[in-house]
Short mmCIF file of all heavy atoms in Angstrom, two decimals:
data_model
loop_
_atom_site.label_atom_id
_atom_site.label_comp_id
_atom_site.label_asym_id
_atom_site.label_seq_id
_atom_site.Cartn_x
_atom_site.Cartn_y
_atom_site.Cartn_z
N ALA A 777 45.60 72.59 119.12
CA ALA A 777 45.95 72.54 120.54
C ALA A 777 47.46 72.49 120.72
O ALA A 777 48.02 73.13 121.63
CB ALA A 777 45.30 71.33 121.19
N VAL A 778 48.15 71.75 119.85
CA VAL A 778 49.61 71.67 119.92
C VAL A 778 50.23 73.05 119.69
O VAL A 778 51.15 73.46 120.41
CB VAL A 778 50.14 70.66 118.88
CG1 VAL A 778 51.67 70.77 118.75
CG2 VAL A 778 49.75 69.25 119.27
N LEU A 779 49.72 73.78 118.72
CA LEU A 779 50.25 75.12 118.43
C LEU A 779 49.90 76.11 119.54
O LEU A 779 50.67 77.06 119.79
CB LEU A 779 49.73 75.61 117.09
CG LEU A 779 50.16 74.78 115.87
CD1 LEU A 779 49.60 75.36 114.59
CD2 LEU A 779 51.68 74.67 115.79
N ALA A 780 48.78 75.91 120.22
CA ALA A 780 48.47 76.77 121.37
C ALA A 780 49.47 76.55 122.50
O ALA A 780 49.89 77.50 123.17
CB ALA A 780 47.04 76.48 121.86
N VAL A 781 49.87 75.29 122.70
CA VAL A 781 50.94 75.02 123.66
C VAL A 781 52.20 75.78 123.27
O VAL A 781 52.88 76.39 124.11
CB VAL A 781 51.23 73.50 123.74
CG1 VAL A 781 52.51 73.24 124.53
CG2 VAL A 781 50.06 72.76 124.37
N LEU A 782 52.50 75.75 121.99
CA LEU A 782 53.71 76.42 121.51
C LEU A 782 53.66 77.92 121.75
O LEU A 782 54.67 78.53 122.13
CB LEU A 782 53.89 76.12 120.01
CG LEU A 782 55.22 76.54 119.40
CD1 LEU A 782 56.37 75.85 120.10
CD2 LEU A 782 55.24 76.23 117.91
N LEU A 783 52.51 78.52 121.55
CA LEU A 783 52.39 79.95 121.84
C LEU A 783 52.69 80.23 123.31
O LEU A 783 53.39 81.19 123.65
CB LEU A 783 50.97 80.44 121.51
CG LEU A 783 50.56 80.46 120.03
CD1 LEU A 783 49.12 80.94 119.90
CD2 LEU A 783 51.49 81.35 119.22
N GLY A 784 52.17 79.39 124.19
CA GLY A 784 52.40 79.59 125.61
C GLY A 784 53.85 79.43 126.01
O GLY A 784 54.38 80.25 126.78
N VAL A 785 54.53 78.41 125.49
CA VAL A 785 55.91 78.14 125.92
C VAL A 785 56.92 79.03 125.20
O VAL A 785 58.07 79.12 125.64
CB VAL A 785 56.29 76.66 125.72
CG1 VAL A 785 55.40 75.75 126.56
CG2 VAL A 785 56.23 76.25 124.25
N ASN A 786 56.50 79.71 124.12
CA ASN A 786 57.43 80.62 123.43
C ASN A 786 57.25 82.07 123.86
O ASN A 786 58.23 82.80 124.00
CB ASN A 786 57.25 80.50 121.92
CG ASN A 786 57.91 79.27 121.33
OD1 ASN A 786 58.33 78.38 122.07
ND2 ASN A 786 57.99 79.20 120.02
N ILE A 787 56.02 82.50 124.05
CA ILE A 787 55.78 83.88 124.47
C ILE A 787 55.87 84.02 126.00
O ILE A 787 56.43 84.99 126.52
CB ILE A 787 54.40 84.37 123.98
CG1 ILE A 787 54.36 84.39 122.45
CG2 ILE A 787 54.09 85.76 124.52
CD1 ILE A 787 53.00 84.72 121.86
N GLY A 788 55.35 83.03 126.71
CA GLY A 788 55.32 83.07 128.17
C GLY A 788 56.66 83.31 128.85
O GLY A 788 56.72 84.05 129.85
N PRO A 789 57.77 82.72 128.36
CA PRO A 789 59.05 82.89 129.06
C PRO A 789 59.57 84.32 129.14
O PRO A 789 60.52 84.56 129.89
CB PRO A 789 60.00 82.01 128.21
CG PRO A 789 59.12 80.96 127.64
CD PRO A 789 57.83 81.66 127.34
N ASN A 790 58.99 85.25 128.41
CA ASN A 790 59.43 86.64 128.54
C ASN A 790 59.02 87.27 129.86
O ASN A 790 59.37 88.41 130.15
CB ASN A 790 58.87 87.49 127.38
CG ASN A 790 59.62 87.27 126.09
OD1 ASN A 790 60.81 86.99 126.10
ND2 ASN A 790 58.92 87.38 124.97
N LEU A 791 58.31 86.51 130.68
CA LEU A 791 57.85 87.04 131.96
C LEU A 791 58.92 86.92 133.05
O LEU A 791 59.04 87.79 133.91
CB LEU A 791 56.59 86.30 132.41
CG LEU A 791 55.86 86.82 133.64
CD1 LEU A 791 55.44 88.27 133.46
CD2 LEU A 791 54.65 85.95 133.94
N THR A 792 59.73 85.86 133.02
CA THR A 792 60.73 85.63 134.07
C THR A 792 62.06 85.21 133.47
O THR A 792 62.11 84.70 132.35
CB THR A 792 60.28 84.54 135.05
OG1 THR A 792 60.19 83.29 134.36
CG2 THR A 792 58.94 84.87 135.68
N TYR A 793 63.13 85.39 134.24
CA TYR A 793 64.46 84.96 133.80
C TYR A 793 64.49 83.46 133.48
O TYR A 793 65.12 83.03 132.52
CB TYR A 793 65.50 85.21 134.90
CG TYR A 793 65.91 86.64 135.07
CD1 TYR A 793 66.34 87.10 136.31
CD2 TYR A 793 65.90 87.54 134.01
CE1 TYR A 793 66.74 88.42 136.50
CE2 TYR A 793 66.29 88.87 134.19
CZ TYR A 793 66.71 89.29 135.43
OH TYR A 793 67.11 90.59 135.61
N ALA A 794 63.85 82.66 134.34
CA ALA A 794 63.98 81.21 134.24
C ALA A 794 63.02 80.60 133.23
O ALA A 794 62.98 79.39 133.07
CB ALA A 794 63.74 80.58 135.61
N GLY A 795 62.26 81.44 132.51
CA GLY A 795 61.26 80.89 131.60
C GLY A 795 61.84 80.12 130.44
O GLY A 795 61.23 79.16 129.97
N SER A 796 63.00 80.53 129.95
CA SER A 796 63.64 79.80 128.84
C SER A 796 65.15 79.84 129.01
O SER A 796 65.71 80.78 129.60
CB SER A 796 63.24 80.41 127.49
OG SER A 796 63.92 81.62 127.26
N LEU A 797 65.80 78.84 128.45
CA LEU A 797 67.26 78.79 128.50
C LEU A 797 67.85 79.94 127.69
O LEU A 797 68.93 80.44 128.01
CB LEU A 797 67.75 77.45 127.94
CG LEU A 797 67.37 76.22 128.78
CD1 LEU A 797 67.80 74.95 128.05
CD2 LEU A 797 68.01 76.28 130.15
N ALA A 798 67.16 80.38 126.63
CA ALA A 798 67.66 81.48 125.81
C ALA A 798 67.77 82.76 126.64
O ALA A 798 68.74 83.51 126.51
CB ALA A 798 66.73 81.70 124.62
N THR A 799 66.79 83.02 127.51
CA THR A 799 66.83 84.21 128.34
C THR A 799 67.99 84.15 129.33
O THR A 799 68.66 85.15 129.58
CB THR A 799 65.50 84.38 129.10
OG1 THR A 799 64.43 84.40 128.16
CG2 THR A 799 65.49 85.67 129.90
N LEU A 800 68.22 82.98 129.89
CA LEU A 800 69.35 82.82 130.81
C LEU A 800 70.67 83.06 130.11
O LEU A 800 71.58 83.71 130.64
CB LEU A 800 69.32 81.41 131.43
CG LEU A 800 68.11 81.09 132.30
CD1 LEU A 800 68.10 79.61 132.66
CD2 LEU A 800 68.11 81.94 133.55
N LEU A 801 70.79 82.55 128.89
CA LEU A 801 72.01 82.75 128.11
C LEU A 801 72.17 84.22 127.74
O LEU A 801 73.27 84.77 127.81
CB LEU A 801 71.95 81.88 126.85
CG LEU A 801 73.16 81.94 125.92
CD1 LEU A 801 74.43 81.58 126.66
CD2 LEU A 801 72.95 81.01 124.73
N TRP A 802 71.08 84.87 127.38
CA TRP A 802 71.12 86.31 127.06
C TRP A 802 71.60 87.11 128.25
O TRP A 802 72.39 88.05 128.10
CB TRP A 802 69.72 86.74 126.65
CG TRP A 802 69.54 88.22 126.50
CD1 TRP A 802 69.85 88.99 125.42
CD2 TRP A 802 68.99 89.13 127.48
NE1 TRP A 802 69.52 90.31 125.66
CE2 TRP A 802 68.99 90.41 126.92
CE3 TRP A 802 68.48 88.96 128.77
CZ2 TRP A 802 68.51 91.53 127.60
CZ3 TRP A 802 68.01 90.06 129.45
CH2 TRP A 802 68.03 91.34 128.87
N ARG A 803 71.14 86.74 129.43
CA ARG A 803 71.53 87.48 130.63
C ARG A 803 73.04 87.38 130.86
O ARG A 803 73.69 88.36 131.25
CB ARG A 803 70.77 86.93 131.84
CG ARG A 803 70.91 87.78 133.09
CD ARG A 803 70.17 87.14 134.24
NE ARG A 803 70.32 87.91 135.45
CZ ARG A 803 70.04 87.45 136.67
NH1 ARG A 803 69.57 86.22 136.80
NH2 ARG A 803 70.20 88.20 137.73
N ARG A 804 73.61 86.20 130.60
CA ARG A 804 75.07 86.05 130.76
C ARG A 804 75.81 86.91 129.74
O ARG A 804 76.84 87.51 130.06
CB ARG A 804 75.46 84.57 130.60
CG ARG A 804 75.07 83.71 131.78
CD ARG A 804 75.92 82.45 131.85
NE ARG A 804 75.63 81.55 130.74
CZ ARG A 804 74.69 80.62 130.75
NH1 ARG A 804 73.91 80.48 131.81
NH2 ARG A 804 74.51 79.82 129.72
N ILE A 805 75.30 86.98 128.52
CA ILE A 805 75.95 87.79 127.48
C ILE A 805 75.89 89.27 127.85
O ILE A 805 76.86 90.01 127.67
CB ILE A 805 75.29 87.52 126.12
CG1 ILE A 805 75.61 86.10 125.66
CG2 ILE A 805 75.77 88.53 125.07
CD1 ILE A 805 74.86 85.66 124.44
N VAL A 806 74.76 89.71 128.38
CA VAL A 806 74.61 91.11 128.79
C VAL A 806 75.63 91.44 129.88
O VAL A 806 76.26 92.51 129.86
CB VAL A 806 73.17 91.36 129.29
CG1 VAL A 806 73.07 92.71 130.00
CG2 VAL A 806 72.20 91.32 128.11
N ARG A 807 75.82 90.54 130.82
CA ARG A 807 76.79 90.78 131.90
C ARG A 807 78.21 90.84 131.37
O ARG A 807 79.06 91.57 131.88
CB ARG A 807 76.66 89.69 132.96
CG ARG A 807 75.43 89.86 133.85
CD ARG A 807 75.31 88.74 134.86
NE ARG A 807 74.27 89.01 135.83
CZ ARG A 807 73.89 88.15 136.77
NH1 ARG A 807 74.46 86.95 136.84
NH2 ARG A 807 72.94 88.47 137.63
N GLU A 808 78.48 90.07 130.32
CA GLU A 808 79.82 90.10 129.72
C GLU A 808 80.11 91.46 129.09
O GLU A 808 81.26 91.81 128.86
CB GLU A 808 79.94 89.01 128.65
CG GLU A 808 80.00 87.60 129.24
CD GLU A 808 79.92 86.52 128.17
OE1 GLU A 808 79.84 86.89 126.97
OE2 GLU A 808 79.94 85.33 128.52
N HIS A 809 79.08 92.24 128.80
CA HIS A 809 79.25 93.58 128.25
C HIS A 809 79.12 94.64 129.34
O HIS A 809 78.74 95.80 129.06
CB HIS A 809 78.21 93.83 127.15
CG HIS A 809 78.50 93.10 125.88
ND1 HIS A 809 78.23 91.75 125.71
CD2 HIS A 809 79.06 93.51 124.70
CE1 HIS A 809 78.58 91.38 124.50
NE2 HIS A 809 79.09 92.41 123.87
N ASP A 810 79.43 94.25 130.56
CA ASP A 810 79.44 95.17 131.71
C ASP A 810 78.10 95.87 131.91
O ASP A 810 78.03 97.06 132.27
CB ASP A 810 80.55 96.22 131.55
CG ASP A 810 81.93 95.59 131.51
OD1 ASP A 810 82.14 94.62 132.26
OD2 ASP A 810 82.77 96.05 130.72
N THR A 811 77.04 95.13 131.66
CA THR A 811 75.68 95.65 131.85
C THR A 811 74.92 94.62 132.67
O THR A 811 75.14 93.42 132.52
CB THR A 811 74.98 95.87 130.50
OG1 THR A 811 75.78 96.72 129.69
CG2 THR A 811 73.61 96.50 130.69
N ASP A 812 74.05 95.08 133.52
CA ASP A 812 73.22 94.15 134.29
C ASP A 812 71.75 94.43 134.00
O ASP A 812 71.39 95.52 133.56
CB ASP A 812 73.49 94.28 135.80
CG ASP A 812 73.13 93.00 136.54
OD1 ASP A 812 72.63 92.05 135.90
OD2 ASP A 812 73.34 92.95 137.77
N VAL A 813 70.94 93.44 134.27
CA VAL A 813 69.51 93.54 134.01
C VAL A 813 68.80 93.60 135.36
O VAL A 813 68.99 92.73 136.21
CB VAL A 813 69.01 92.33 133.21
CG1 VAL A 813 67.51 92.46 132.95
CG2 VAL A 813 69.77 92.21 131.90
N ASP A 814 68.00 94.64 135.53
CA ASP A 814 67.25 94.78 136.77
C ASP A 814 66.06 93.84 136.75
O ASP A 814 65.25 93.85 135.82
CB ASP A 814 66.78 96.23 136.91
CG ASP A 814 65.98 96.44 138.19
OD1 ASP A 814 66.57 96.37 139.28
OD2 ASP A 814 64.75 96.63 138.07
N LEU A 815 65.95 93.00 137.80
CA LEU A 815 64.88 92.01 137.85
C LEU A 815 63.50 92.68 137.82
O LEU A 815 62.59 92.22 137.12
CB LEU A 815 65.02 91.15 139.12
CG LEU A 815 63.90 90.14 139.38
CD1 LEU A 815 63.81 89.13 138.24
CD2 LEU A 815 64.14 89.43 140.71
N GLY A 816 63.35 93.77 138.57
CA GLY A 816 62.07 94.46 138.60
C GLY A 816 61.69 94.99 137.23
O GLY A 816 60.53 94.88 136.80
N GLU A 817 62.65 95.59 136.55
CA GLU A 817 62.38 96.14 135.22
C GLU A 817 62.03 95.02 134.23
O GLU A 817 61.09 95.15 133.44
CB GLU A 817 63.60 96.91 134.72
CG GLU A 817 63.42 97.55 133.36
CD GLU A 817 64.66 98.32 132.95
OE1 GLU A 817 65.71 97.67 132.70
OE2 GLU A 817 64.58 99.57 132.84
N PHE A 818 62.78 93.93 134.28
CA PHE A 818 62.51 92.79 133.39
C PHE A 818 61.10 92.26 133.62
O PHE A 818 60.36 91.98 132.66
CB PHE A 818 63.54 91.69 133.65
CG PHE A 818 63.48 90.55 132.66
CD1 PHE A 818 64.32 90.52 131.57
CD2 PHE A 818 62.59 89.51 132.83
CE1 PHE A 818 64.27 89.48 130.65
CE2 PHE A 818 62.52 88.46 131.93
CZ PHE A 818 63.37 88.45 130.84
N THR A 819 60.72 92.14 134.88
CA THR A 819 59.40 91.60 135.21
C THR A 819 58.28 92.56 134.83
O THR A 819 57.23 92.14 134.31
CB THR A 819 59.33 91.27 136.71
OG1 THR A 819 60.41 90.39 137.05
CG2 THR A 819 58.02 90.58 137.05
N ARG A 820 58.48 93.85 135.07
CA ARG A 820 57.46 94.83 134.70
C ARG A 820 57.21 94.82 133.19
O ARG A 820 56.06 94.85 132.73
CB ARG A 820 57.87 96.24 135.14
CG ARG A 820 57.78 96.49 136.64
CD ARG A 820 57.84 97.98 136.96
NE ARG A 820 59.03 98.62 136.41
CZ ARG A 820 60.21 98.65 137.01
NH1 ARG A 820 60.37 98.06 138.19
NH2 ARG A 820 61.24 99.27 136.46
#
């Protein structure tokens, strides 16, 4: 059951920007390279 929780909290955050701190940090790095991430594309 503990590992099932882990699957949810590690794979699930790829659905939204706010799902994990790593995704938020990645988004800032992408912007530093003069690139932006489209919210619709990320969500799809």
Side-chain angles (χ1 to χ4, degrees):
V778 169
L779 296 181
V781 169
L782 190 59
L783 292 179
V785 298
N786 282 12
I787 297 174
N790 283 329
L791 187 58
T792 64
Y793 284 152
S796 75
L797 294 174
T799 304
L800 296 171
L801 181 57
W802 170 83
R803 190 182 178 196
R804 287 202 292 272
I805 292 172
V806 168
R807 284 178 171 175
E808 289 172 1
H809 286 78
D810 297 322
T811 305
D812 204 357
V813 180
D814 179 69
L815 175 61
E817 181 179 67
F818 188 96
T819 305
R820 287 195 305 275

